[in-house]
Amino acid sequence: MNDAAQSREDLLDRLRRSDHVPVLIVGGGINGMGSFRDLSLQGIDCLLVERGDFCSGASRAPSRMIHGGLKYLETGEFRLVRESAQERNRLLANAAHYVRPLEMIIPIYSWFGGTWAAVRKFLRLPARMQQRGALIVKLGLALYDIYGALNRAMPRHRMIRRKDVLREIPDLDPGIRIAASYYDAWITSPERLVVELALDGMAANPGSIALNHLRFDGVEGGRARLVDTMTGEAFLIGCDLMVNAGGAWIDSVNGAAGSSKRMIGGTKGSHLLLDLPAFAETLHGRMMYFEAEGGRICLVSNFMGHALLGSTDIPIEDPDSAVCEDDEVEYLLSAFRRIFPDVPVSRDDIFFSYAGVRPLPANDADDPGAVSRDHSMPELPPEGDRRFPILSLVGGKWTTFRAFSAELTDEVLRRLDMSRKMGTEALPIGGGQGLSQQAAPVERLLTCMIRHHGLTRSRARQLVARYGSRAEGLAAALADGERFLTHLPGFSREEIALVARSELVRHATDFLFGRSSLFLEGPLGFEALQEIVDALAHALDWDAERRISELEHVIGRYRDLHRMEVTPQSGVRPRFVRTVGA
């Protein structure tokens, strides 16, 4: 992590000197970037383009879970559960700096509820689960333990008596009969993990390029037309194969390439961040996995000292319009009040909201939750002016991205008549190199940073939490001293500059939403946002006009996509916009 890393302009210069690449990947979310890294590791030159910033779609809007797919047992998707559980365990090993074990608590209101509905769903017959009783939950968790046995990384499930769980989580609804505990995992910074995959891919193969703010704009003369969204500069690039990793935008990307085939039937998932620190502390680092009215699963967890509440599952036609709507806000708050009836909560407690669109396969199901979360790679053969085939990455989820990427890579290798050089099952990602779930590697890293670079222990821990083992390189660059921000004292101008220059930051929103988790860690007022923009302006040589426009863009995004009104008045907290469009 240093200024010597390739800048975006360096990468654009390389693109200007090229007219062909074996594989063009459109979309810089987790599936696209996982494929980019795997293909690059095999020695295949790849060009990945993303119209916005990396990880700016659904990959940036998850419930922060890395899970084995417990609910997929209900629909008999055993292959997906097995794969998900294995990949969860691999991420715990390969991305230990961001992925950690998470205890899940399921409150249960009956002993035998949902048994008949579960049988019908298992047999693929129409059924809507209204309430899952202890028998069904126990059976499901026993199977879940079996599927998580390979590379077992966490304890098996246990059932908890009513009085014991109420003692541990006293705000829980006393009307429950029993509770269950099992383990999955959570990810602190999915945004950074995607960026690290990009950096890993380019480091592994100097012939590969990943570029943000570069839009696929159709086909011209048999080649892909790419447009720099910042300058309008256009590039024509030929390829042997195009991979459409556009997520919820797969159909529009294929449409630009001349196909009208419908592949995606996405559903929107919305989340709320609640400023309830006392309540969040009582969860003791656990996530509650509970049923809302109608059997839909909701989640609430302690995220950075606040309550993260989600999520919804609503069909949506236009992914660009995804925002947490008023009825979703009320649905989520009602679900919270049902499970924690005595905890006062209202819209005034919301300090951030976000929504993402799951790239599910096109379907006509009445129940969006019943649509398979499995993945596939439908092909569009060459047609008309387009001389190259397109493989579209439909479906998938955060937990299984490595396996999906490996499937795509194996298919590309077959088409190019090449052999796989290495697997990724045990390959660390970015700052996960040299770390594990054990404390010893982290302590050794902290000791090294303190002794060699003069950092305090608290500052070293802060950097390791953000960047994993990559923090050592950053610490060396910060050894000459740091100037910390007034309103965000955990960040220095020097740290922000290093990240901005080495990780393809082009806008303030790239840093705020794509290179850090600041937007989820607490309310950010006008002064804090202004300080971040000022630090970026100094690092990236923005003039006064650009600085003003970047700050306006950040504030506009808060209002339009996250429903938070940031006012320039000193000391005024951001306010949740009570009605969409207000």
Side-chain angles (χ1 to χ4, degrees):
M1 184 178 287
N2 54 62
D3 288 0
Q6 295 183 93
S7 70
R8 186 171 183 274
E9 190 57 38
D10 293 333
L11 297 176
L12 286 172
D13 280 341
R14 289 174 52 194
L15 189 58
R16 293 183 185 105
R17 297 192 297 269
S18 175
D19 63 0
H20 186 273
V21 65
V23 179
L24 169 65
I25 302 174
V26 178
I30 185 58
N31 288 332
M33 204 62 83
S35 300
F36 174 79
R37 182 189 72 146
D38 200 343
L39 288 164
S40 297
L41 288 165
Q42 314 315 319
I44 297 175
D45 292 347
C46 299
L47 170 62
L48 181 144
V49 299
E50 164 58 50
R51 68 170 186 169
D53 187 30
F54 304 132
C55 194
S56 57
S59 297
R60 191 180 286 180
S63 297
R64 308 260 152 173
M65 281 186 69
I66 299 295
H67 65 98
L70 175 63
K71 66 179 181 180
Y72 308 147
L73 290 172
E74 292 181 353
T75 51
E77 296 183 273
F78 297 124
R79 188 208 64 78
L80 180 58
V81 175
R82 180 175 61 252
E83 179 181 78
S84 299
Q86 292 173 0
E87 292 302 314
R88 175 201 64 197
N89 293 349
R90 286 172 176 143
L91 273 171
L92 282 163
N94 297 334
H97 56 322
Y98 295 143
V99 180
R100 300 184 178 95
L102 174 67
E103 185 180 8
M104 310 285 292
I105 301 293
I106 305 176
I108 305 170
Y109 284 86
S110 72
W111 296 107
F112 304 106
T115 303
W116 178 238
V119 171
R120 289 185 61 84
K121 290 188 72 171
F122 183 81
L123 296 174
R124 305 293 177 91
L125 297 173
R128 185 175 291 273
M129 186 70 73
Q130 296 294 327
Q131 189 180 79
R132 296 162 180 86
L135 176 63
I136 291 300
V137 172
K138 174 70 176 177
L139 177 60
L141 291 176
L143 288 171
Y144 203 53
D145 285 341
I146 293 172
Y147 282 113
L150 182 65
N151 304 319
R152 180 173 294 283
M154 292 173 290
R156 292 176 172 82
H157 82 278
R158 63 190 176 100
M159 305 302 286
I160 310 174
R161 294 182 301 176
R162 175 181 175 275
K163 67 176 184 178
D164 292 333
V165 74
L166 290 176
R167 183 173 62 248
E168 294 177 26
I169 307 175
D171 291 308
L172 194 60
D173 180 9
I176 67 167
R177 295 290 184 88
I178 193 171
S181 164
Y182 73 100
Y183 278 81
D184 262 324
W186 71 298
I187 181 168
T188 57
S189 189
E191 307 84 9
R192 288 206 51 79
L193 194 67
V194 169
V195 172
E196 289 187 351
L197 287 167
L199 299 176
D200 284 356
M202 288 189 282
N205 181 2
S208 289
I209 299 173
L211 276 163
N212 50 356
H213 305 292
L214 192 62
R215 182 180 74 247
F216 172 70
D217 201 43
V219 178
E220 182 178 323
R223 295 185 290 177
R225 186 173 189 271
L226 310 174
V227 176
D228 187 333
T229 62
M230 300 191 66
T231 65
E233 182 180 2
F235 305 83
L236 292 178
I237 301 293
C239 64
D240 298 323
L241 172 72
M242 176 172 141
V243 176
N244 183 351
W249 292 267
I250 278 177
D251 288 344
S252 61
V253 171
N254 285 337
S259 173
S260 59
K261 184 176 181 180
R262 180 173 177 247
M263 296 183 182
I264 294 296
T267 66
K268 180 176 60 167
S270 292
H271 297 76
L272 302 175
L273 267 295
L274 305 172
D275 193 11
L276 300 173
F279 163 77
E281 187 176 352
T282 66
L283 296 179
H284 305 294
R286 297 156 161 169
M287 176 177 278
M288 304 298 299
Y289 184 94
F290 63 97
E291 292 175 325
E293 291 292 340
R296 167 69 189 160
I297 297 297
C298 286
L299 309 162
V300 64
S301 63
N302 179 340
F303 187 85
M304 306 293 185
H306 302 278
L308 172 59
L309 175 64
S311 78
T312 54
D313 199 6
I314 300 171
I316 184 172
E317 291 294 327
D318 178 13
D320 287 315
S321 68
V323 65
C324 184
E325 303 282 351
D326 294 329
D327 56 348
E328 293 177 277
V329 172
E330 191 52 45
Y331 169 83
L332 291 171
L333 293 181
S334 295
F336 180 93
R337 294 182 187 112
R338 177 172 178 260
I339 200 72
F340 297 108
D342 293 330
V343 177
V345 63
S346 72
R347 295 189 179 211
D348 293 333
D349 297 308
I350 301 170
F351 71 83
F352 196 78
S353 71
Y354 63 90
V357 180
R358 307 172 183 92
L360 304 181
N363 67 90
D364 297 314
D366 293 330
D367 179 11
V371 180
S372 174
R373 265 54 173 175
D374 211 340
H375 49 254
S376 62
M377 296 183 295
E379 178 181 356
L380 293 175
E383 181 180 4
D385 191 35
R386 176 171 51 80
R387 300 166 189 167
F388 48 86
I390 300 175
L391 290 179
S392 297
L393 304 186
V394 175
K397 60 194 185 82
W398 249 102
T399 308
T400 57
F401 83 85
R402 190 215 61 84
F404 197 5
S405 300
E407 288 180 30
L408 181 279
T409 298
D410 289 341
E411 175 61 20
V412 173
L413 289 169
R414 184 188 67 79
R415 289 170 182 249
L416 298 180
D417 196 24
M418 297 174 63
S419 299
R420 177 176 280 277
K421 293 182 178 180
M422 63 183 301
T424 55
E425 292 87 349
L427 185 66
I429 300 170
Q433 179 71 43
L435 301 183
S436 72
Q437 296 300 327
Q438 296 177 321
V442 173
E443 291 298 340
R444 285 193 292 268
L445 178 60
L446 291 173
T447 299
C448 178
M449 292 169 65
I450 294 166
R451 288 179 179 173
H452 295 164
H453 307 301
L455 269 65
T456 64
R457 177 165 287 273
S458 61
R459 179 59 171 154
R461 287 184 63 85
Q462 196 174 56
L463 293 177
V464 170
R466 288 179 188 154
Y467 309 106
S469 58
R470 297 183 77 232
E472 185 173 7
L474 192 142
L478 298 177
D480 292 336
E482 298 182 79
R483 294 166 295 163
F484 290 92
L485 303 184
T486 301
H487 298 282
L488 287 170
F491 278 86
S492 69
R493 289 177 173 271
E494 291 75 17
E495 177 187 349
I496 291 173
L498 284 167
V499 171
R501 292 171 184 158
S502 62
E503 295 185 353
L504 302 176
V505 170
R506 298 306 300 162
H507 291 289
T509 51
D510 294 351
F511 176 83
L512 182 61
F513 297 103
R515 308 298 181 276
S516 75
S517 298
L518 274 170
F519 63 105
L520 295 180
E521 294 177 17
L524 291 179
F526 181 84
E527 294 95 337
L529 295 177
Q530 187 175 45
E531 263 197 306
I532 293 171
V533 172
D534 286 346
L536 289 168
H538 179 75
L540 300 175
D541 298 322
W542 293 342
D543 60 21
E545 184 180 356
R546 174 74 182 275
R547 186 180 309 203
I548 292 171
S549 69
E550 288 288 338
L551 182 58
E552 289 176 345
H553 183 60
V554 168
I555 292 173
R557 178 185 173 118
Y558 261 84
R559 180 185 61 250
D560 298 336
L561 294 184
H562 306 296
R563 300 189 61 179
M564 299 305 302
E565 190 68 47
V566 179
T567 62
Q569 290 178 265
S570 178
V572 176
R573 285 169 54 99
R575 178 182 63 87
F576 185 70
V577 178
R578 303 189 70 84
T579 303
V580 173

